[in-house]
Amino acid sequence: MWNAQFLWMNEMFVETCPLCAEDGGLPVWRGRRLRVIRAQEEGFPAFYRVVWNAHAAELSDLNTAERGHCMEAVAEVERVLRARLGPDKINLAALGNMVPHLHWHVIARFAWDSHFPGAVWAVAQRPRDAGREAAVAAQLPAIDAELARALDAWQSHQSIE
């Protein structure tokens, strides 16, 4: 009984899940199992998401190999952002409270951003710095291209794909 109820509920989530229905942001790269998008989050230009393509609500819904694959992709996005932007910190988060579809937020953070050192979802601590935000945003097309190249190279070495 429980399994049938779970399958029915999972099918309902898939039908209404925004990350099943659409990319969830600007597509940067897509593999067979996951994709990377750039989110359009006001005030945080270098805000990316690693999204599992199939509907799964939790990391533990994946098998061991899939979990490793997902986390390696998160680390690859982090590596490129650190190398290209030199942020003060990279924030990683997998909440899913609003959208229960497995996705990791990978966010380059800077000491000058309006919410730093708090979370991007916390209360702002200072006014936004439009000039610095624009300077980061201007680099994003080149970073997106580098992410795609790096993820293609990474994927070619993955046994799970």
Side-chain angles (χ1 to χ4, degrees):
M1 172 77 170
W2 183 86
N3 283 339
Q5 184 179 15
F6 174 76
L7 290 173
W8 176 79
M9 288 178 62
N10 196 42
E11 287 174 13
M12 276 184 38
F13 281 130
V14 170
E15 289 178 13
T16 61
C17 175
L19 291 177
C20 288
E22 54 193 56
D23 288 323
L26 178 70
V28 173
W29 180 84
R30 179 180 288 274
R32 196 166 58 94
R33 297 193 182 268
L34 54 84
R35 63 189 180 269
V36 174
I37 61 98
R38 181 160 28 101
Q40 309 296 304
E41 295 289 337
E42 192 81 15
F44 305 98
F47 191 130
Y48 289 81
R49 290 189 185 107
V50 175
V51 181
W52 196 253
N53 287 334
H55 188 81
E58 307 295 345
L59 187 63
S60 61
D61 291 340
L62 308 182
N63 66 41
T64 301
E66 291 169 333
R67 285 192 301 270
H69 184 76
C70 184
M71 295 314 298
E72 286 294 324
V74 169
E76 193 65 21
V77 173
E78 177 184 300
R79 185 193 63 74
V80 170
L81 292 177
R82 289 180 71 197
R84 290 298 302 261
L85 292 173
D88 294 293
K89 184 72 177 94
I90 295 285
N91 287 173
L92 302 175
L95 306 172
N97 297 338
M98 300 298 290
V99 179
H101 182 120
L102 182 60
H103 62 285
W104 281 87
H105 303 268
V106 184
I107 313 161
R109 300 293 306 281
F110 302 91
W112 50 260
D113 86 39
S114 60
H115 290 59
F116 195 87
V120 296
W121 301 284
V123 175
Q125 298 188 19
R126 67 190 62 78
R128 290 175 52 193
D129 188 329
R132 286 180 163 167
E133 287 177 21
V136 170
Q139 299 177 64
L140 296 179
I143 291 170
D144 292 352
E146 185 170 336
L147 278 168
R149 284 190 301 274
L151 290 162
D152 281 341
W154 164 78
Q155 179 178 255
S156 71
H157 295 97
Q158 297 294 303
S159 60
I160 193 169
E161 281 291 341

